[in-house]
Amino acid sequence: MPALLIVTLLATELLVMDRLAPAVAYGQFTDFYTAGHADLGIEYNASLQEFETHLHVGRNAIVNGVPLVAETVYDLETTLVTSDGFAQRPDDSGLGFAFAPLGIETGEHFWWLPQNYFDAVSGGDDGLPHLGWSANAAGTFVDDQLTLALVDVMSPSGIGLYSLWSNSGISANFVHANFDGIDASDALTLATSGHDHFNLAFADPNGLTAAEGLWTITYGVEGELLTGETISSTFRVNYWIGNGSPVPEPSFALAFVGLAMAAMVPRKRRHPRHRR
C-alpha cells in the first residue's frame, strides 16, 4: 500500500477525531454483537465508485442478548462488537519474541477476540465473537485484491495497544500493531472473494483494567480498479472491551436508547485463559 495514502488518511482522521473521546455517544449504539460468527463486509459500489462496509452476522450469533434466527446485516456506526475474553502473552523467547507487537511483557494479559472458532465458542457464557473480514468485489480490482490498513486507534486511556495477527503454527504473523506507531507496514491484503479470520488484541501499558471500555479503530481500504483508477476510503469499527459491558438484557433493550445516562449492566468476570 502506498505510504502516501496511509499518511494522508491518518492526517485526515486526526483533524476530526479526539483520541480521548468516543467516536459516537453510547446512546447512539442500537445493536450489541457479543458471540457467534460474523463478517465485517467490504463491498464495492460501482455506480457510486466507492466502498461500502457493514457487519454481516450469522444465524445463531448473539445480538442484543438473543440468538439470531436468520443472517442479518448491521450498520457499523451503530453496532458495538464486544468481548470480555482475555489471554496471556506467552513466553515466546524461543520464537524470536514473535508476540512483541502486543506491546506488553511476557505473562501480562490482554483482551482478545480469537481467530480460532473453537476458542470463540468455548469462551464461557455464550462464547465470544468470531469475527471474520470479507470483501465482495471479484473481477473488479487488480489481482483480485484489496488492502486493509490500520489508520487510527482510539482507546479508553488514549494510549491503548491494538493489534491484529494470524496464527502461524505456534508463532504469529502480525499485520496491524500500533505499539511502534502506525505506518505503511500496518496493512494486510484481502482477496476480493471469500473471507479470513484474525486474532485481535486490546491492551494497555497500565494493565487490563485501563484497557476496558470503548475502542474505535479506523481502517483504510484501497484497491486499484482494472481501469487503473485507485479507490480508497476509511471506516470505523467500535469495540466494547472488558467486563463493564453496556450490553442490555433482552427485555430492556429499548431502555438503552439513553445508554449514555443509564447504569452499566455488568457481566460475569472471566478467568484468564492462556492462549497463543
Side-chain angles (χ1 to χ4, degrees):
M1 180 174 190
L4 179 60
L5 173 62
I6 295 291
V7 173
T8 302
L9 293 176
L10 180 56
T12 301
E13 290 298 320
L14 292 180
L15 287 174
V16 297
M17 295 168 68
D18 177 357
R19 288 179 175 275
L20 297 177
V24 230
Y26 296 152
Q28 291 181 283
F29 292 116
T30 56
D31 297 296
F32 305 84
Y33 161 51
T34 58
H37 181 264
D39 286 329
L40 194 155
I42 301 171
E43 296 186 358
Y44 177 63
N45 186 321
S47 61
L48 297 177
Q49 291 192 308
E50 64 183 24
F51 291 111
E52 298 176 345
T53 55
H54 60 268
L55 188 68
H56 188 147
V57 185
R59 183 174 177 270
N60 293 324
I62 308 298
V63 177
N64 298 331
V66 295
L68 295 180
V69 297
E71 295 183 358
T72 307
V73 174
Y74 293 92
D75 185 341
L76 284 175
E77 286 295 322
T78 56
T79 302
L80 273 179
V81 179
T82 77
S83 177
D84 60 358
F86 55 120
Q88 183 182 48
R89 177 180 168 177
D91 181 356
D92 57 342
S93 55
L95 302 173
F97 297 99
F99 288 87
L102 289 172
I104 57 176
E105 299 297 324
T106 298
E108 293 184 352
H109 290 85
F110 57 91
W111 299 106
W112 182 46
L113 272 75
Q115 172 183 348
N116 187 285
Y117 171 77
F118 296 101
D119 285 331
V121 298
S122 64
D125 296 335
D126 295 316
L128 300 171
H130 187 225
L131 182 63
W133 304 73
S134 68
N136 183 15
T140 305
F141 292 90
V142 172
D143 296 326
D144 275 331
Q145 292 181 341
L146 299 176
T147 299
L148 181 71
L150 176 63
V151 173
D152 191 62
V153 175
M154 294 173 60
S155 70
S157 70
I159 56 173
L161 303 166
Y162 164 83
S163 54
L164 179 148
W165 77 97
S166 60
N167 295 330
S168 179
I170 59 174
S171 189
N173 176 31
F174 280 80
V175 288
H176 288 171
N178 72 325
F179 84 109
D180 58 352
I182 300 174
D183 57 31
S185 67
D186 294 294
L188 65 91
T189 299
L190 286 178
T192 55
S193 59
H195 75 288
D196 294 299
H197 284 267
F198 300 91
N199 296 283
L200 281 74
F202 302 82
D204 194 279
N206 296 312
L208 274 181
T209 300
E212 290 187 85
L214 179 66
W215 293 66
T216 298
I217 312 299
T218 303
Y219 303 94
V221 57
E222 179 181 284
E224 181 183 352
L225 293 172
L226 296 178
T227 57
E229 183 180 0
T230 297
I231 304 296
S232 63
S233 66
T234 62
F235 64 94
R236 296 168 173 168
V237 181
N238 298 293
Y239 303 89
W240 186 274
I241 299 302
N243 290 291
S245 173
V247 180
E249 295 295 331
S251 60
F252 294 97
L254 294 178
F256 277 77
V257 172
L259 188 57
M261 298 178 288
M264 296 298 180
V265 178
R267 298 184 73 193
K268 180 180 179 182
R269 179 173 292 274
R270 301 183 190 276
H271 297 293
R273 288 177 284 123
H274 299 260
R275 305 286 191 194
R276 288 186 176 183

